[in-house]
Amino acid sequence: GESVGLHLPTLSVQEGDNSIINCAYSNSASDYFIWYKQESGKGPQFIIDIRSNMDKRQGQRVTVLLNKTVKHLSLQIAATQPGDSAVYFCAETTGNTGKLIFGQGTTLQVKP
Amino acid sequence: DAGVIQSPRHEVTEMGQEVTLRCKPISGHNSLFWYRQTMMRGLELLIYFNNNVPIDDSGMPEDRFSAKMPNASFSTLKIQPSEPRDSAVYFCASSLVGGGGTEAFFGQGTRLTVV
């Protein structure tokens, strides 16, 4: 029979507005937290990472915030553009393995 | 560098047939990862290699799945026999572990359909 897939959370924003995508994690021992972007038909693409001993890191138009107290990670995208429309995944890694454990994903829709 | 190269991009096969997915990692990377993506389970790590040696295969669903990395520039993921529930997009990724940072580079994926 037909399987029912997960319904990814969706964030819809107006072009030019700021976007905030949230993620909860469970492993307090993770060393790094990472955000990936996946466009339709493509593999995930690295955006930015943050080490567990930091609480904020900025990149070009993106900022990642880490709140270890409540095990929460967020990705802020400034001046969202149509090209930002994609599924965004948070991921965590522990130890020097490179092994990524991915979260569920959030779909970002940018309205022109 | 052309990035991580996977082949084929699409594969349709009948239940019971053997399927082989191929991956060429980025030159100079020392770690290679196979992931599976489905709507039900999201992105799951199946197995990863470091310096061509399998380190963790705990994500491999069952004995029907096997992976090899005979050299630093090639890896295969084989499913024998394939079943409809194996239908998914399979991604290969490579990274330079120990080189600082966490960036893994993903291929375009192989969309597998088992009918």
Side-chain angles (χ1 to χ4, degrees), chain A residues 21 33-38 44-50 57-64 75-77 84 86-90 108, chain B residues 102-104:
Chain A
I21 301 171
F33 300 89
I34 311 107
W35 283 100
Y36 276 82
K37 172 187 180 183
Q38 186 177 26
Q45 181 181 13
F46 175 93
I47 301 173
I48 190 169
D49 64 5
I50 186 168
R57 189 174 184 204
Q58 287 186 292
Q60 187 177 15
R61 272 202 314 122
V62 295
T63 301
V64 57
L75 177 70
Q76 300 178 359
I77 305 174
D84 295 327
V87 178
Y88 289 80
F89 292 93
C90 62
L108 176 64
Chain B
T102 62
E103 186 168 1

Side-chain angles (χ1 to χ4, degrees), chain A residues 36 44-46 97-100 102, chain B residues 1-6 23-35 45 47-52 69 71-75 91-98 101-108:
Chain A
Y36 276 82
Q45 181 181 13
F46 175 93
T97 64
K99 184 171 83 168
L100 297 169
F102 283 90
Chain B
D1 200 314
V4 176
I5 300 173
Q6 292 187 245
C23 175
K24 181 180 187 304
I26 292 174
S27 176
H29 282 183
N30 58 9
S31 295
L32 182 142
F33 308 82
W34 283 101
Y35 290 87
L45 177 66
I47 185 171
Y48 79 93
F49 296 83
N50 182 260
N51 293 320
N52 313 338
M69 191 165 186
N71 57 63
S73 59
F74 184 66
S75 177
F91 288 103
C92 175
S94 71
S95 66
L96 180 60
V97 174
T102 62
E103 186 168 1
F105 295 81
F106 284 75
Q108 296 272 55

Side-chain angles (χ1 to χ4, degrees), chain B residues 6-72:
Chain B
Q6 292 187 245
S7 65
R9 288 294 311 276
H10 302 274
E11 176 80 37
V12 180
T13 190
E14 291 186 343
M15 181 174 61
Q17 296 298 306
E18 177 180 295
V19 175
T20 299
L21 311 182
R22 296 172 174 80
C23 175
K24 181 180 187 304
I26 292 174
S27 176
H29 282 183
N30 58 9
S31 295
L32 182 142
F33 308 82
W34 283 101
Y35 290 87
R36 178 172 68 175
Q37 186 173 36
T38 61
M39 284 300 294
M40 286 294 294
R41 301 173 69 89
L43 273 160
E44 304 173 275
L45 177 66
L46 300 178
I47 185 171
Y48 79 93
F49 296 83
N50 182 260
N51 293 320
N52 313 338
V53 176
I55 303 300
D56 183 353
D57 65 354
S58 59
M60 296 286 258
E62 45 196 279
D63 292 345
R64 298 185 296 107
F65 286 70
S66 63
K68 294 182 179 180
M69 191 165 186
N71 57 63

Side-chain angles (χ1 to χ4, degrees), chain A residues 6-13 19-24 34-40 47 72-75 77 84-91 102-110, chain B residues 37 39 42-43:
Chain A
L6 285 173
H7 179 68
L8 292 180
T10 299
L11 175 65
S12 186
V13 301
S19 303
I20 300 176
I21 301 171
N22 298 302
C23 175
I34 311 107
W35 283 100
Y36 276 82
K37 172 187 180 183
Q38 186 177 26
E39 296 175 282
S40 180
I47 301 173
H72 184 266
L73 186 70
S74 68
L75 177 70
I77 305 174
D84 295 327
S85 294
V87 178
Y88 289 80
F89 292 93
C90 62
F102 283 90
Q104 180 183 350
T106 296
T107 300
L108 176 64
Q109 295 177 342
V110 182
Chain B
Q37 186 173 36
M39 284 300 294
L43 273 160

